[in-house]
C-alpha cells in the first residue's frame, strides 16, 4: 500500500486516512502488509507522523534577494545551509519565476550558480518614458525581470517587450544608463533575478530506504 499526498497550502496540517498527519508540500509513504510504514519521504515539509514514526524536515525556505552580481546572489538574511549546494532553487518576482541550480554556498546569506542569469541585453539606442530601445531582439525579456545598466545596477523591471524595445513597469531615467567601461557604447542587461525578488529553497527528508 502507498499514500501519495500533495497540497499548495504548506502552512496547514492535514490528516490523511485515520491518523497520518502531514504538514508540508508533499509526501510519499509505503506500508508493509501489516500496515506499518516501511519508507516515507517528506518534501518541503515540517513533519510527517503516524504510528510512532516521525519524519521531520526543514520546510520550504524563502529569502529575499539583496543583490545580484554576475552569477552570485546575496540575500537579506542568512538562510542557507552547506547541504543546499546542488539543489535547484526558484527565483520569483511578482510576475516571473525561474529556476537555477544553487552550485555553491558562499555564506549563509550568499550563493553562486553556474547558470547564466542574463536573458537579454544590448546597446542602448534610446530611453523615453518607460521605453528602452536596444539594438537586438529580446525574445527572453519576460515581465517581472530586472533591467540593469552597464554597471549592473538595477534601474527597473520589465513590463513587456516588443521587437527591439522593452517597456518597464515605471519611468526609466536616461541618466541611469552610462558607459561604465568607457568603450563608447552604453549597454544594458535583462536579468532573471534582482533585488526584492525571492529565493525558495526546497527540502526533503526520508525515513527508511535510501
Amino acid at each position: 500500500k502507498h499514500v501519495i499526498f500533495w497540497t499548495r497550502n504548506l502552512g496547514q496540517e492535514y490528516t490523511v486516512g485515520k491518523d497520518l498527519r502531514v504538514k508540508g508540500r508533499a509526501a510519499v509513504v509505503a506500508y508493509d502488509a501489516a500496515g506499518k510504514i516501511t519508507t516515507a519521504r517528506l518534501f518541503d515539509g515540517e513533519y510527517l507522523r503516524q504510528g510512532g514514526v516521525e519524519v521531520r524536515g526543514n520546510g520550504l525556505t524563502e529569502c529575499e534577494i539583496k543583490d545580484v552580481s554576475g552569477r552570485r546572489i546575496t540575500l537579506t538574511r542568512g538562510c542557507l545551509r552547506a547541504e543546499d549546494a546542488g539543489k535547484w532553487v526558484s527565483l520569483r518576482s511578482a510576475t516571473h519565476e525561474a529556476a537555477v541550480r544553487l552550485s555553491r554556498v558562499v555564506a549563509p546569506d550568499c550563493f553562486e550558480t553556474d547558470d547564466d542569469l542574463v536573458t537579454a541585453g544590448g546597446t542602448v539606442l534610446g530611453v523615453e518614458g518607460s521605453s528602452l530601445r536596444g539594438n537586438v531582439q529580446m525574445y527572453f525579456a519576460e515581465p517581472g525581470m530586472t533591467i540593469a545598466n552597464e554597471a549592473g545596477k538595477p534601474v527597473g523591471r520589465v513590463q513587456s517587450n516588443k521587437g527591439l524595445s522593452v517597456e518597464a513597469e515605471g519611468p526609466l531615467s536616461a541618466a541611469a544608463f552610462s558607459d561604465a567601461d568607457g568603450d563608447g557604447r552604453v549597454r544594458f542587461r535583462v536579468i532573471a533575478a534582482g533585488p526584492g525578488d525571492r529565493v525558495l529553497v526546497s527540502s526533503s527528508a526520508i525515513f527508511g530506504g535510501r
Side-chain angles (χ1 to χ4, degrees):
K1 177 184 175 181
H2 292 77
V3 169
I4 299 175
F5 167 85
W6 181 86
T7 182
R8 291 183 177 180
N9 188 351
L10 278 66
Q12 179 176 330
E13 178 188 280
Y14 291 87
T15 300
V16 182
K18 293 183 178 180
D19 58 355
L20 172 62
R21 291 188 294 160
V22 182
K23 188 176 182 181
R25 182 186 301 280
V28 179
V29 185
Y31 300 86
D32 62 17
K36 293 183 178 181
I37 294 178
T38 56
T39 59
R41 190 152 195 166
L42 176 66
F43 301 90
D44 295 343
E46 294 183 28
Y47 57 80
L48 176 157
R49 298 175 182 140
Q50 186 179 37
V53 172
E54 181 177 66
V55 181
R56 298 196 67 87
N58 293 316
L60 182 66
T61 302
E62 183 173 340
C63 301
E64 185 176 324
I65 294 177
K66 179 180 180 181
D67 180 63
V68 177
S69 178
R71 302 188 184 190
R72 175 172 288 195
I73 295 178
T74 302
L75 308 173
T76 57
R77 64 183 180 89
C79 60
L80 301 175
R81 301 173 294 274
E83 57 265 32
D84 290 327
K87 291 181 178 179
W88 285 88
V89 298
S90 294
L91 308 175
R92 293 182 183 176
S93 70
T95 55
H96 177 264
E97 182 172 0
V100 298
R101 194 173 186 86
L102 194 163
S103 302
R104 288 166 293 280
V105 176
V106 179
D109 64 347
C110 182
F111 73 91
E112 293 179 343
T113 178
D114 291 331
D115 299 316
D116 191 356
L117 298 173
V118 178
T119 64
T123 300
V124 177
L125 298 183
V127 178
E128 184 176 350
S130 60
S131 181
L132 167 64
R133 184 165 55 90
N135 66 328
V136 295
Q137 295 278 352
M138 290 174 276
Y139 300 105
F140 304 108
E142 298 181 4
M145 289 184 175
T146 295
I147 303 169
N149 62 18
E150 189 169 305
K153 182 180 178 180
V155 295
R157 287 187 182 273
V158 175
Q159 183 176 69
S160 63
N161 78 78
K162 183 178 181 180
L164 302 180
S165 296
V166 166
E167 291 294 324
E169 293 180 352
L172 295 172
S173 169
F177 297 91
S178 61
D179 182 10
D181 59 9
D183 68 350
R185 297 174 63 191
V186 178
R187 297 180 178 84
F188 72 97
R189 290 173 288 172
V190 177
I191 308 172
D197 291 351
R198 294 169 294 144
V199 173
L200 282 74
V201 185
S202 63
S203 70
S204 65
I206 191 168
F207 167 81
R210 292 185 177 181

